[in-house]
Structures are given as structure tokens and as C-alpha cells.
Amino acid sequence: MLLSALIFLPVLFGLAVLALPKQLVRPVSLALSLVHFIASLLLFRNFDPTSAGLQLVEQKPWMPDIGITYFLGLDGISFWLVILTTFLTPLVILGSWKSIDHKIKGFHSALFFLTATMVGSFLALDGILFYIFFEASLIPMYFMIGIWGGARRLYATVKFFIYTMFGSLFMLVAIVALMFMAEQQLGQMSSSLLDWYKLEIPFVGGELLSTQTLLMFAFALAFAIKVPMFPFHTWLPDAHVEAPTPGSVILAAVMLKMGTYGFLRFVLPMFPEAVDYWTWLFIFLGVVGIVYGALVAMVQPDIKKLVAYSSVSHMGYVIVGLFAMNAFGTTGGLYQMLNHGVSTGALFLLVGMIYERTHSREVNAYGGLAKVAPWYTIIFLIVTMSSIAVPMTNGFVGEFLILLGLFKAHPIFAIIATTGVVLGATYMLWMVKRVFFGPESAMVKEHAAHGGMDLNWREKLVMAPLVTLIFWMGLFPNHFLNYSKSSIDHLLENRMHYQLQVDNSSSPLKVVDQRGVN
Amino acid sequence: MEISFSFRWVDVLLLMPVVVLAVSSMVPLLIKVMSGGREPNSFATMCYGLAGVIAAAGWLISMEGTRRVAFDGALVFDGLSTLIGLAIVFAAGVALVFSRENFATNTDQFSEHVFLMLNAAAGMLLVSWANDLIFFFIGIELMSLCLYVLIAISGESRLSKEAAFKYFLLGSFASAILLYGVAFVFGTAGSTNLQVIAEQSQDLISSNRLFLLGLIFLVVGIAFKVSIFPLHAWTPDVYQGAPTPVTGFMATGAKAATFVLFLRLVMTSAFAADQANRLIEIIQWMAALTILAGNIAAVMQTSVKRMLAYSSVAHSGYIMIGLIVASIGGEQLGGSSSVIFYLVAYTLMTIGAFGVLSLLEKDEDSQIHVEDLRGLAKRSPWMALCLTVLLLSLAGIPPMVGFFGKFFIFSAAVKAGLYWLAVWGVIGSVVSVYYYLRPIMQMYMRDEVGAEVCGDRYLSIGAVSVAAIAVVVVGLFSSPLYQAVLNALRGPT
């Protein structure tokens, strides 16, 4: 019941918010999102990190005729992503206290619906259920960018929606094909992931039209657009620049992870032969993304766009890590997903905070910010360190593990990817230099004259947990990795014949019963 | 050959929904005549119509589980008849409510309007029950004649006359071709009964060119009625010119009824024969081009009604995919169940969308453009939300019912090995998202002043709400509906 509660609590909250009087919307939403976060902390009590199986499983027939079930479960792969989602919602609400000034009911309602669909897609273990959450998450984000976004918001939001939808519809066709394959091989239509893992999907190496290759690419396209991998990334800068700060934070920190999570949950275990054959392609595109994203970020005049392109670069690391397919690489990839969520989320929040004061995101318009906003500068520097992977911060652990794993698997690619680290440091530090140091620019002087340039207590409160996490995750990675270790080891060891067991007390029997009856 | 005719009273009982509709359609006319040609209170008139609709629906529900043919096998009463019959009378009832509260239809000829609408519904019921080509033709003509006049008596002065005339001329051509086809089939098979034709079709199609020709003419006639490419050109003009409630009724009821007959025709297994391969191939291309033409043209429209008209062309294309699967054998149940599910889903969402448009029209001549929807979310948030849900459902976004409709269609196509049609449909859906999002964008992301919802049209608002809520609820719990569709189809047809 806990997992269902995590999905449906925010739905209820989203409806409840609509009924509130206007002045209560913000505090109540904050309280409700904290309730949701605390509820998600109950997962720590019920989750057994030593097991690689699925835990807290809930399975109920939904459309028995065609084998669709309401099937939720948690394992080491999805565990931290769920916590990340619930953790960011209160921060985003607190962070947008001032910046969202119209239609606040609709905004908070959309935010809660978005949270519900994101948690749902991390927990769903039924292909159709996953697809529904995956697609439904577009609707609140569409409204978020379109209503509260910047000047070109309409263009950006439509591009975002159609681009993402285009990829996932091919995934739908592949899902249908897998359901019929389950009927042929297992005697019954099924969209349960556990059944899909059992399928023997025909594969002929080198043949583009062999079944497994086609299915793999249908899934990979949907996730590659979501991640986004080079060359499917063009929607991302538009969406990020036009989205309001909270939208950017959620988009970068969680929604992009739905893509990489999809690779880890669907593509790697379900199509092992095809993945083996095409690994080079994914690694190649990942590495190109790392370098290309960094180079383009370097020349951006707009801070937010710079951060957006740095996302392309960082997500490239995640992809190469996952496809390095060894313990270091894949663990690093998973860790980097969380790191990116924390550090890029923090960067977008910081950019939003200064934008609220000066209404400018032009790098050139700034200068000498360090003198007038010391707290802001210190926190921005810490987050920058995390983003460029300085040791002791979380970014270092992730990138180091990824490069280590990649070096073991594909040394040449690893060398190229390493240049991305240097380029990353270059564009971030160059931007920091121009924005924070040097003489104060006219704009900064003008705004500093009114005072209030530095962070207020609310903004410090938003950043405090993120900064804490940056160091915590950098100094004690095992506190986090322990929860995912057994699942990742299990995935890598049994990749060619991946199976997931359902753990925990009564659920396995129930599952067998339902399948038998239908 | 001997023509015999036997009459049994039980057949009349089965026919009661049509009889009820026909009888209750007379009431408003009689009252008008009795009161010396003065138009009676429109609310009362609507109530007489609704009473007939509700009685017909009740009768249909009580027929649940009936599996028999009537009038010497000319009409068939099975689960399918009941299910689609209910969808048709639902559309008729909702369209009646919209008509009362729309300026183009609530004129001094409202009694006639109700009369025509109920008779059109009766015609649709006959079409969807027909097991005999003659009855099919009678039903189609009853339905079409009523629709021609319904469009022509609209209070709108310019577009509606043109639309009615266009529809009448082209529709007559189509009917003539259809009848020509019926004649050929009768001449070669010796019967107009679908069961009898089914028994011989496999032989005839390989031995007799005239039979094939007859089938082709039938397909052409039907394709016109459900606006399949290249016979769809009338759709936007007629849909735009017709008063909005009538458009909604045409787009749902007429389409559902005709598609059911089409389904019954393809399930005669005439199309499963080797010789029909070419025909099936052509129909596949027609489906693909319908999706393409409908979606591409819809992108370019500025009038919401024309956009919905083109989108309904595209939806016909999706339904055709399911029909093709049903016709080629092997996956008949999968194909036909997807068609029926889609028709029911399509009826719900389309009638709702036209209902919102009807609510926005402030006089008989008003044309709603996409731009007019600006800022609607602020002025009437509930209606804007309803339209959003309906449009997202039409676009096939989960968890709305439209998604499951497309899901069943595409899965039937994948199962039958028609991957290219499934992928084609998918690409069409992506295009369609663009134009379905545009009104939503205007409603929520612009603040300027546009069209208003007239607040006192409570019944219409209620009907739209019912459709929108049903779209979500049936989407989340689509299993019972799908089960009902399967049950309806599994019985002997």
C-alpha cells in the first residue's frame, strides 16, 4: 500500500490545493509536500538493501483480458530516484514562493500531479502502466512551461511535448509487440516486466531488421529523447530556458532521469544481445554528447542556457556509465543521475534566484556579484564545484566511477570523455569568473543600490539541504550506494538471462494466484 | 427464386426502439399543427424528444443478451446492435440538449428539428442493425435525408445552405453508387442477405467479376459516408456549415452506424479470399492516406469546427485500420473489438468537443476560431478543463479513453502483422497532437478576451461535463467496456 500511497497522495493533494483560498495555497502545499516526503522516508524502514528482488510489491489485475496489471514494486534501481523526486518537491515549492505570482493554485496543483506521474513511472513494473505515467507526466509539464514560462514559452512547450511524444509512441508499438510475444512464448498476453524479462527475443547480429534490434531501438528512441542524448537534445535548451525556475528544476532533476532509468530498467535487461551489439553506438553518442554539450555551453551568453547545455553533457556521462556495463560504470551512472539531480537542480534554483532580482540572465550583464552577494556567491561556488566534479563533492564520485568503468571497457572513448571534465571546468569557471568577480557591472551596481541582493533566509533554507547533500554524497558515497549495490550487481551478473524475484511476505503467492485464475 | 415474407409479432417487439423514436418524433410536430403553426415552448419540445430517446435507450438495455434475427433475417439483434444502438441514442440525446441551447437550431422550426433528429437516429439504428443490404440502404437514406434537411433549416444564413446542398448532391451520388453495388451483389449472389452472401462469397469472388465490382461499389458508397480518403472532401464544408449540435450528431452517430455495417460486411469473409487481396491492399492505402490527409489538413485550419472535421477524417482512418484487421481473417475478434471500442470512445469525446463549441456560439452566425478560445480558462475554468480533457483524449494521451482506443487499434494491427499501418497511425497521432494542443494553448496560455460561454445553458454544460468525466473514468477503468465489447462480439452474429 505504501507505494500506491506515494503515487496517489500527490493526486489528492493536487485536487485539494484547488479548493484552498489563495493566501493559504503556498504554506499548505509546502506542508503537504513535506508530508509526501516523510511518507517516502518510510521506504527506508521497509526496504531491505541486501536483496536484489522487488520489494513492497503490489499487483492487481487491471485489464485481465490482455494481461495488463496494476503492478508496482521497488528495488535498488528505483529506490533513490523516488526519494529524489519527493525530496525536491518541497524545495521547489519553497524556492518558487515569490517567483510564481499568478495562477498559484493551478501551479501547485500541476506540480503535485507531476510528482505523482514521476513517482508512478519509477514504481511501475507493468509496461502499459509505465507508459501511462511516462506520457501523463507530459501534461502537467506542458502547462507549467506554457503558462508560467518566459517569452517564447508557447514554442518551447509544444516542441517539448511533440518531441517527447514522438519517441514514446514508437515505444508503445514495441510494448504491444512484446505483449504478443509473451502470448506466444508464455501462453498468455502480459505486459508485466517480469514476464518480458523471460522472453527469448530472436536476435541476429548485424541485421538491422531482426526483432530484438528493432524493439531495442523503439525503446531506446523514447528514452534517448527523454534523456536527451545527442542528437535528440534540441528540445532541451528551449524547454529549459523558457520554463519557470521550478519547471526547470523538476525537468532537469527528475524528468530527464526517467529516460536513463528506462535504459536501466527496460533496454539493458530486456534486449541483452542487441545492446551488446550496439553498445558502441550508445557510448559514441554519449561521448559526443559530453564533448558537444560542453563546447556549446562554453559559448552561451545566457546563464540558464549554459546550465541547460551542461545538462546535455552530464547526461552523456550517465549514458556512457550505464553502457560501460561493469560494476564501476553502471554504479557511477546511477550515482551520477542523483548527482545531476542535486547539482543541476541547485544551479537552476540559483539562476532563478538572481533572475528574480535583476531580471537578466546575460552573462555579460553581470560582474562583481561576489561583493554585493557573498552568501549567494559561496553557495554558487559550492554547487559549481559539485557540477565540475571537484573531489569531496558528489560529482567527483559519480564521474570518477564512470570514467573508471569506461576505461576498463573502452579506453579510447574514456580518453575522449575525460576531455569533457576539463571542458566542463572551463565553461563553468569561466562563467563564474565573469559573473561573480571583476569590477561590478552597471546592472549589478544599480540593483545593489536598492539592497537585498544577497540570499534571504528562505532561499538559504532552500539551498541548505542541497549543499548538505553535495558534501554528504561526496564524502560518504556508500551511505547511498549500499541501497543500490545488490540490484546493480544482480543486473550486471545476470544480464543475459535477467530475472527479478518478488520478495517479501505474502505477495508472491498472491501474484501466482491471480495469474492462475485468469 | 421465390420471395416469401413471413411476419411475426416478436419482430416488432425487437424493432421497438425505432418505433418509439418514430412515434415520439411526431409529438412535437402534432402539437405545433394543433396550435396553429405557432412554435411551442422549446423546452417542452426537447423533453418530448428526450422522452423518446430515453425510452429507446431503456428498450435497448432491456434487449441486452438478445441474440436473434428478425424479419426473415433482415435485421440482426446481437450484443453489437445493443451496444452501438446505445451509443447512437446517447449521441442523439446529447445533441438534442445542445440543439435546444444553440441559436442556430433553436429557431421557430425547432419542432421540425427534433422530428428530423429522432428520425435520423432511427435511420442510424436501422443501419447498425441491418443484416440485409436493402435494409441497410433504407436506413442510410432515412438517416441522410433527415441530415440534409437538418443542415438546411439551420438558422445560420450562408454556410449552412451551401453545406446542405453540397452534402445533398454528393450524398445522392454516393447513395446511387451504393445502390448500384447492391444491385450487382444481388444479381450475382441471388440475395441481399449478408449471411447468404457470406456463404457464397469465397466462391463468387474468385469466379465472378461482377460480384467483385459490386463489392467495390459498396465500399465506395460506405467510404463516402464515413469520409475516407479520397471521398472525404465534403466533410470539412458540411461539418462547418451544419449547426454545431447537428455536426456533433453526424460525426458520431452516422459514423458509428455506418462503420458497424461496414464491419458486418467485411466479416462476411468476402474480403478474406485471395482474390480480394488487391482490394484489401487498396483499402489499406486508403486508410493510410485518410490518416495523412486528415491530420495534415487539420494542422492548417483556423476554425475549430473545420479542425475537428478534418480530425474526424483522421479518426476514420484509425478505425479503418481495425476494420482491415477484422477483414483479413485470423484476428477477427481483435480487429472488430478494437473498432467497436474506438467507436464508443470516439462518440464520447467528439460529441463533448462539439458541445463545448456549441456553448461558445453567441448567435446563429458565429464561427469559433482557435483564436477565440484565448483565455477561456480564466472565464470559465470548468468548460476549459472539459475541452482540454476531450482534446487530449482525441489526441490519444493516456490515461484518457482515446489512448486505449488507439492502443487496441494498434495492437490489433501489430498482431495481424500490419506493422506499417500501426507505425503510420502512430506518426499520424504525433501530428495530431500539434493541432489538438493549439486550442489548449489558447485557453490556458493567453489572457486576452475571446468567446464567452453563455452561463445559463446549464443542460449543455451538464452534458459536456458528463462526456468529459466519462472520458477520464472510462479511460482509467476501460476493462468493463472492453469486456462488454468482447461479449457483444463473441455471440453468434
Side-chain angles (χ1 to χ4, degrees):
Chain A
M1 281 316 289
L2 182 53
L3 299 188
S4 287
L6 285 180
I7 297 175
F8 290 105
L9 271 183
V11 174
L12 284 182
F13 294 166
L15 293 173
V17 165
L18 291 175
L20 288 172
K22 224 170 189 171
Q23 60 274 23
L24 279 180
V25 170
R26 285 195 185 103
V28 172
S29 302
L30 182 63
L32 290 175
S33 65
L34 283 172
V35 168
H36 188 224
F37 176 52
I38 291 164
S40 75
L41 291 182
L42 288 177
L43 292 178
F44 282 99
R45 241 186 51 194
N46 298 312
F47 185 79
D48 169 18
T50 56
S51 154
L54 291 170
Q55 305 183 29
L56 302 164
V57 166
E58 293 169 33
Q59 190 170 25
K60 292 191 181 60
W62 185 17
M63 289 189 209
D65 290 297
I66 46 175
I68 300 177
T69 51
Y70 174 77
F71 186 12
L72 304 177
L74 188 71
D75 72 351
I77 295 173
S78 47
F79 182 80
W80 281 112
L81 292 168
V82 174
I83 306 268
L84 177 73
T85 314
T86 59
F87 164 75
L88 280 170
T89 318
L91 294 185
V92 160
I93 291 175
L94 198 58
S96 62
W97 208 266
K98 287 269 149 46
S99 63
I100 301 295
D101 51 4
H102 63 296
K103 300 181 186 162
I104 51 172
K105 274 187 204 179
F107 175 80
H108 289 91
S109 181
L111 190 60
F112 278 123
F113 283 124
L114 187 58
T115 311
T117 54
M118 290 185 307
V119 172
S121 43
F122 291 134
L123 292 177
L125 288 171
D126 178 280
I128 294 290
L129 192 64
F130 171 79
Y131 181 83
I132 288 173
F133 283 126
F134 192 79
E135 283 285 277
S137 70
L138 298 181
I139 304 172
M141 194 38 111
Y142 168 74
F143 284 113
M144 226 182 239
I145 300 176
I147 300 180
W148 295 276
R152 287 170 69 234
R153 58 184 195 274
L154 298 185
Y155 167 77
T157 193
V158 170
K159 186 170 177 183
F160 157 75
F161 199 105
I162 291 183
Y163 224 113
T164 326
M165 172 123 187
F166 174 78
S168 40
L169 274 169
F170 287 97
M171 178 167 77
L172 180 64
V173 175
I175 286 175
V176 170
L178 282 170
M179 288 171 72
F180 289 122
M181 210 171 275
E183 189 181 27
Q184 282 162 15
Q185 295 187 11
L186 310 172
Q188 188 192 359
M189 267 176 94
S190 167
S191 57
S192 152
L193 270 179
L194 301 194
D195 289 338
W196 287 357
Y197 289 147
K198 291 179 197 147
L199 297 177
E200 309 244 332
I201 309 170
F203 175 72
V204 184
E207 221 174 85
L208 201 56
L209 290 178
S210 88
T211 319
Q212 199 177 117
T213 312
L214 282 177
L215 289 175
M216 195 264 294
F217 276 117
F219 273 90
L221 180 67
F223 298 138
I225 289 177
K226 197 87 175 179
V227 168
M229 275 165 76
F230 179 89
F232 305 109
H233 64 280
T234 57
W235 63 268
L236 182 93
D238 285 316
H240 267 315
V241 170
E242 298 309 324
T245 306
S248 300
V249 174
I250 297 281
L251 188 63
V254 188
M255 279 187 94
L256 305 189
K257 308 306 175 299
M258 282 157 66
T260 41
Y261 167 78
F263 275 112
L264 207 49
R265 176 71 82 204
F266 291 82
V267 177
L268 291 189
M270 254 162 31
F271 315 111
E273 288 100 356
V275 167
D276 267 355
Y277 191 84
W278 292 98
T279 307
W280 63 270
L281 180 65
F282 289 99
I283 302 244
F284 174 72
L285 291 179
V287 170
V288 172
I290 293 175
V291 177
Y292 173 84
L295 287 175
V296 178
M298 207 176 287
V299 296
Q300 292 307 317
D302 179 314
I303 306 179
K304 210 171 177 188
K305 216 164 188 176
L306 186 147
V307 180
Y309 275 107
S310 85
S311 268
V312 175
S313 181
H314 285 155
M315 292 312 277
Y317 280 111
V318 178
I319 292 293
V320 295
L322 296 183
F323 278 89
M325 236 97 77
N326 51 36
F328 292 125
T330 310
T331 311
L334 189 65
Y335 206 56
Q336 186 71 359
M337 288 191 214
L338 307 175
N339 293 336
H340 180 258
V342 172
S343 60
T344 309
L347 275 177
F348 276 121
L349 279 169
L350 286 167
V351 173
M353 286 168 187
I354 199 70
Y355 181 76
E356 278 171 45
R357 292 171 167 78
T358 62
H359 298 285
S360 167
R361 290 190 305 246
E362 289 278 307
V363 177
N364 287 334
Y366 286 95
L369 209 52
K371 268 181 219 152
V372 295
W375 272 103
Y376 181 77
T377 311
I378 291 170
I379 294 179
F380 202 102
L381 274 175
I382 294 173
V383 177
T384 304
M385 295 301 138
S386 151
S387 175
I388 63 177
V390 170
M392 279 172 63
T393 62
N394 56 353
F396 174 73
V397 182
E399 286 193 9
F400 183 72
L401 283 172
I402 289 171
L403 290 174
L404 205 61
L406 190 60
F407 216 93
K408 275 175 82 176
H410 308 276
I412 307 282
F413 281 127
I415 291 167
I416 306 173
T418 313
T419 61
V421 180
V422 182
L423 290 171
T426 315
Y427 65 76
M428 283 307 285
L429 292 177
W430 193 32
M431 183 265 282
V432 166
K433 183 197 135 211
R434 287 183 291 168
V435 170
F436 291 94
F437 301 108
E440 287 163 61
S441 74
M443 187 192 71
V444 170
K445 264 187 201 148
E446 185 198 325
H447 285 281
H450 303 303
M453 274 301 267
D454 210 354
L455 299 184
N456 55 31
W457 65 269
R458 172 179 63 81
E459 288 163 334
K460 284 179 199 159
L461 194 61
V462 175
M463 296 315 294
L466 291 168
V467 171
T468 316
L469 264 183
I470 284 175
F471 288 119
W472 190 359
M473 291 176 76
L475 293 171
F476 307 104
N478 279 343
H479 290 187
F480 298 86
L481 288 175
N482 278 346
Y483 284 87
S484 313
K485 190 171 183 313
S486 17
S487 283
I488 289 186
D489 288 346
H490 177 71
L491 170 67
L492 291 173
E493 276 160 27
N494 308 301
R495 204 167 58 79
M496 299 318 266
H497 302 281
Y498 188 63
Q499 299 284 335
L500 268 182
Q501 303 302 323
V502 172
D503 276 14
N504 273 16
S505 55
S506 61
S507 23
L509 274 177
K510 242 197 249 157
V511 172
V512 172
D513 272 1
Q514 281 158 1
R515 319 236 76 223
V517 167
N518 293 321
Chain B
M1 193 187 57
E2 180 188 350
I3 295 175
S4 66
F5 188 73
S6 65
F7 183 81
R8 282 174 304 160
W9 280 104
V10 65
D11 294 353
V12 178
L13 283 182
L14 289 170
L15 199 62
M16 273 314 272
V18 167
V19 176
V20 167
L21 282 177
V23 169
S24 59
S25 74
M26 304 290 183
V27 176
L29 274 191
L30 275 178
I31 291 177
K32 188 170 183 178
V33 173
M34 298 293 195
S35 53
R38 260 185 317 107
E39 182 60 33
N41 180 321
S42 66
F43 185 76
T45 313
M46 179 192 73
C47 286
Y48 301 136
L50 276 184
V53 165
I54 291 165
W59 200 278
L60 279 168
I61 291 169
S62 70
M63 270 162 48
E64 174 73 55
T66 313
R67 296 263 187 277
R68 59 185 304 157
V69 290
F71 299 107
D72 284 327
L75 291 180
V76 55
F77 295 90
D78 53 11
L80 191 53
S81 312
T82 317
L83 196 64
I84 288 297
L86 280 172
I88 290 169
V89 294
F90 171 79
V94 173
L96 268 179
V97 170
F98 294 154
S99 304
R100 152 103 213 296
E101 296 176 345
N102 185 295
F103 291 103
T105 46
N106 191 359
T107 56
D108 55 356
Q109 287 176 312
F110 188 61
S111 305
E112 287 88 336
H113 182 90
V114 173
F115 167 78
L116 290 164
M117 211 156 211
L118 291 188
N119 278 300
M124 290 170 194
L125 286 181
L126 278 182
V127 172
S128 66
W129 296 343
N131 195 33
D132 185 293
L133 293 175
I134 294 296
F135 263 75
F136 163 52
F137 185 74
I138 293 172
I140 274 250
E141 282 306 286
L142 177 56
M143 167 182 105
S144 303
L145 283 172
C146 292
L147 288 176
Y148 303 145
V149 185
L150 269 176
I151 298 168
I153 65 170
S154 157
E156 200 268 339
S157 48
R158 204 169 48 84
L159 288 173
S160 66
K161 309 304 177 251
E162 182 197 328
F165 201 66
K166 214 174 236 177
Y167 191 30
F168 173 64
L169 272 185
L170 293 173
S172 309
F173 264 114
S175 295
I177 293 172
L178 191 71
L179 196 57
Y180 205 28
V182 173
F184 274 129
V185 171
F186 178 68
T188 48
S191 169
T192 50
N193 187 297
L194 285 183
Q195 251 68 51
V196 181
I197 297 171
E199 283 160 20
Q200 315 174 17
S201 59
Q202 296 272 9
D203 287 339
L204 278 174
I205 205 158
S206 47
S207 61
N208 200 324
R209 282 292 161 107
L210 284 179
F211 181 74
L212 189 60
L213 200 61
L215 277 186
I216 291 170
F217 282 161
L218 275 179
V219 169
V220 168
I222 294 171
F224 174 86
K225 297 287 176 195
V226 294
S227 42
I228 297 291
F229 181 92
L231 305 158
H232 70 290
W234 59 275
T235 317
D237 289 339
V238 173
Y239 278 25
Q240 188 189 17
T244 312
V246 176
T247 315
F249 185 45
M250 270 167 68
T252 54
K255 199 168 265 190
T258 319
F259 261 120
V260 168
L261 192 277
F262 205 174
L263 186 65
R264 290 193 202 275
L265 188 66
V266 296
M267 283 168 68
T268 57
S269 71
F271 292 84
D274 286 342
Q275 271 67 22
N277 270 350
R278 280 283 175 73
L279 186 55
I280 288 292
E281 214 166 90
I282 291 169
I283 294 178
Q284 284 188 30
W285 276 103
M286 282 163 76
L289 290 172
T290 307
I291 293 172
L292 185 74
N295 280 323
I296 298 285
V299 168
M300 298 185 274
Q301 302 308 316
T302 54
S303 151
V304 184
K305 231 162 145 187
R306 281 183 86 86
M307 184 202 90
L308 285 176
Y310 276 115
S311 97
S312 96
V313 172
H315 284 284
S316 288
Y318 302 133
I319 300 174
M320 281 296 285
I321 296 180
L323 260 172
I324 291 163
V325 176
S327 67
I328 55 176
E331 288 303 331
Q332 282 215 335
L333 187 64
S336 46
S337 63
S338 71
V339 170
I340 302 303
F341 187 93
Y342 203 96
L343 282 174
V344 174
Y346 171 81
T347 304
L348 275 178
M349 46 207 193
T350 304
I351 195 101
F354 280 111
V356 178
L357 280 192
S358 164
L359 275 169
L360 291 170
E361 291 171 350
K362 60 182 187 301
D363 56 45
E364 54 264 40
D365 288 328
S366 61
Q367 295 284 331
I368 302 294
H369 291 270
V370 180
E371 301 270 289
D372 294 332
L373 295 171
R374 277 176 303 197
L376 189 68
K378 209 170 211 171
R379 296 191 296 280
S380 31
W382 175 241
M383 276 300 104
L385 185 65
C386 285
L387 185 56
T388 305
V389 167
L390 293 162
L391 288 174
L392 288 176
S393 176
L394 282 165
I397 312 272
M400 268 61 90
V401 69
F403 163 72
F404 289 96
K406 281 196 178 133
F407 170 74
F408 289 129
I409 295 259
F410 294 155
S411 53
V414 168
K415 196 168 188 191
L418 296 169
Y419 287 95
W420 81 279
L421 276 182
V423 170
W424 193 255
V426 159
I427 293 171
S429 308
V430 176
V431 176
S432 76
V433 170
Y434 177 74
Y435 60 81
Y436 286 127
L437 285 184
R438 261 193 331 187
I440 301 178
M441 208 157 79
Q442 298 289 346
M443 287 190 297
Y444 283 90
M445 301 168 196
R446 291 283 185 80
D447 287 328
E448 297 91 335
V449 180
E452 292 280 351
V453 167
C454 301
D456 56 345
R457 299 176 176 177
Y458 299 112
L459 283 173
S460 298
I461 291 176
V464 169
S465 314
V466 168
I469 292 169
V471 158
V472 177
V473 173
V474 179
L476 287 174
F477 306 97
S478 43
S479 197
L481 177 58
Y482 188 65
Q483 196 64 52
V485 170
L486 284 181
N487 286 341
L489 285 162
R490 275 188 187 131
T493 42

